Amino acid sequence: MRHLLSVALVCAVLGLAALVAQTPSTPAQQQPAPTADPYANNANPGATQFPLAAPAGKDSNALMVAPPGATNQGAFNPATWKYGTAFNPPAGSKIWNPVKLKLMQGGKVTGGTVFSSTDPATYCAMANAGYDFIWTEMQHNDRDWGAAARMWRTCPTAKAVPGVRIAYTDEREIQHALDAGALVIVVPTVDSKAEAIEARNWTYFPPLGRRSNGGGQAFDGGMWGGVPGGYRQTINDNVVLIVMIETLDGLKEADEIAKVPGVTAVFAASGDLGNFSGYRQGTPDYERAINIVHDAAFKAGKRLCGPLAWRDRPDFTCFQAGSETAAIARGVAAELGPLANTQPKPEVGPYAAQK
């Protein structure tokens, strides 16, 4: 009897081993696919142990005492907190945003403006026309973030990366843009160092900023979820933050604005510096305003942006080009040449009154 039991036990063990060997690996053992849902990879309810959790019904005194093995010991203090390594980029990570790379190399960066369109086909045509990034206009246009997100996700790997001018320095505005996939953030009418810091805070994840890790289509594998090193780990090194100086207050604070860590470039607003100063381009007072912005960027070691018409102006290396409607008009005129606008003018009817 004892011999039979031993044989049965050996057979059972061998059978179990064979079953384990034939069982495919579970999803938990595989690398999860990138997803926009920040909770998608959480453990199944009831399947996780919490050995460091506070005892049920007791005060753990965690505010004053750290668990064994914690890096941050002693009383909790945000001012002295040592940020962890969980979201560090992998060693040797390289820049994957071509706009950031080009700016770092000192090249001239161009942004084509999508001003009025919400049509993904129009956006993608602009994004493949030769610009470095697309300046999706959200300050002076009435489109919503859903429309912007649809355009960006239609052709995320077009030649031009998705960028946006938000309406104002605001957590909701900037995080909507980034979570939808923007890689270039342009912030208008920055008047002070405090406002530049606020723009920086909502653009960057900790420890540099305060961006919330809330998900969005930027995290999807179809956009940036599959970038080398991971989106969350590398986006701080790849995002481009451009702050616009447009007012007299902004000019006064230009040096301090440009020095804010995380600001990639400073934009000398050609239209609104005239609007707020009361002088037109070419006049001494106007040119002084532009030169104040130039000097601030130069001293801070930041890139200097302006309209495409200034591409030969000294030290300017990033530019906003015209809108999609202007590009269509220019393209048709170039294509037709002398055949453009050669229709005969009737003597009567609605076309007779056209100029």
Side-chain angles (χ1 to χ4, degrees), residues 41-123:
N41 298 320
N42 282 6
N44 293 330
T48 305
Q49 301 297 314
F50 303 96
L52 296 177
K58 294 183 179 180
D59 182 350
S60 70
N61 199 28
L63 197 62
M64 301 305 297
V65 179
T71 299
N72 294 277
Q73 292 291 324
F76 175 76
N77 185 353
T80 60
W81 185 265
K82 296 177 182 177
Y83 193 75
T85 61
F87 299 105
N88 285 1
S93 292
K94 296 182 179 181
I95 300 299
W96 50 264
N97 178 359
V99 173
K100 186 66 172 283
L101 187 62
K102 193 173 185 180
L103 286 170
M104 292 170 62
Q105 294 172 343
K108 293 189 174 184
V109 169
T110 58
T113 306
V114 170
F115 189 91
S116 56
S117 179
T118 58
D119 176 28
T122 301
Y123 170 85

Side-chain angles (χ1 to χ4, degrees), residues 108-298:
K108 293 189 174 184
V109 169
T110 58
T113 306
V114 170
F115 189 91
S116 56
S117 179
T118 58
D119 176 28
T122 301
Y123 170 85
C124 291
M126 285 287 285
N128 282 304
Y131 301 107
D132 294 303
F133 73 97
I134 295 300
W135 174 309
T136 305
E137 181 58 43
M138 298 294 281
Q139 181 188 19
H140 293 292
N141 185 269
D142 60 0
R143 73 166 63 83
D144 59 29
W145 284 111
R150 281 190 294 275
M151 292 193 297
W152 297 347
R153 70 170 171 254
T154 301
C155 51
T157 55
K159 295 175 183 177
V161 309
V164 61
R165 175 162 66 176
I166 61 169
Y168 47 89
T169 306
D170 176 77
E171 177 181 6
R172 184 178 186 274
E173 286 288 294
I174 295 176
Q175 295 205 33
H176 270 59
L178 291 166
D179 289 347
L183 297 179
V184 179
I185 299 292
V186 183
V187 183
T189 55
V190 175
D191 289 341
S192 66
K193 176 182 178 180
E195 196 171 352
I197 290 174
E198 185 179 3
R200 185 275 311 281
N201 282 347
W202 304 131
T203 299
Y204 291 87
F205 283 119
L208 181 58
R210 298 186 59 202
R211 180 183 171 190
S212 171
N213 194 19
Q217 70 181 25
F219 294 78
D220 271 339
M223 289 203 74
W224 318 129
V227 297
Y231 176 79
R232 170 61 182 87
Q233 290 82 357
T234 62
I235 188 59
N236 273 11
D237 292 332
N238 283 275
V239 70
V240 171
L241 173 60
I242 302 172
V243 296
M244 301 186 71
I245 295 180
E246 309 189 62
T247 68
L248 301 182
D249 288 335
L251 291 174
K252 183 179 179 180
E253 294 288 318
D255 285 354
E256 296 303 314
I257 291 170
K259 287 191 295 187
V260 170
V263 170
T264 313
V266 181
F267 194 108
S270 58
D272 263 325
L273 277 173
N275 179 41
F276 283 95
S277 71
Y279 295 93
R280 296 188 182 279
Q281 182 172 320
T283 62
D285 293 274
Y286 180 94
E287 297 302 324
R288 180 185 184 184
I290 302 302
N291 289 341
I292 288 173
V293 183
H294 166 277
D295 295 348
F298 177 77

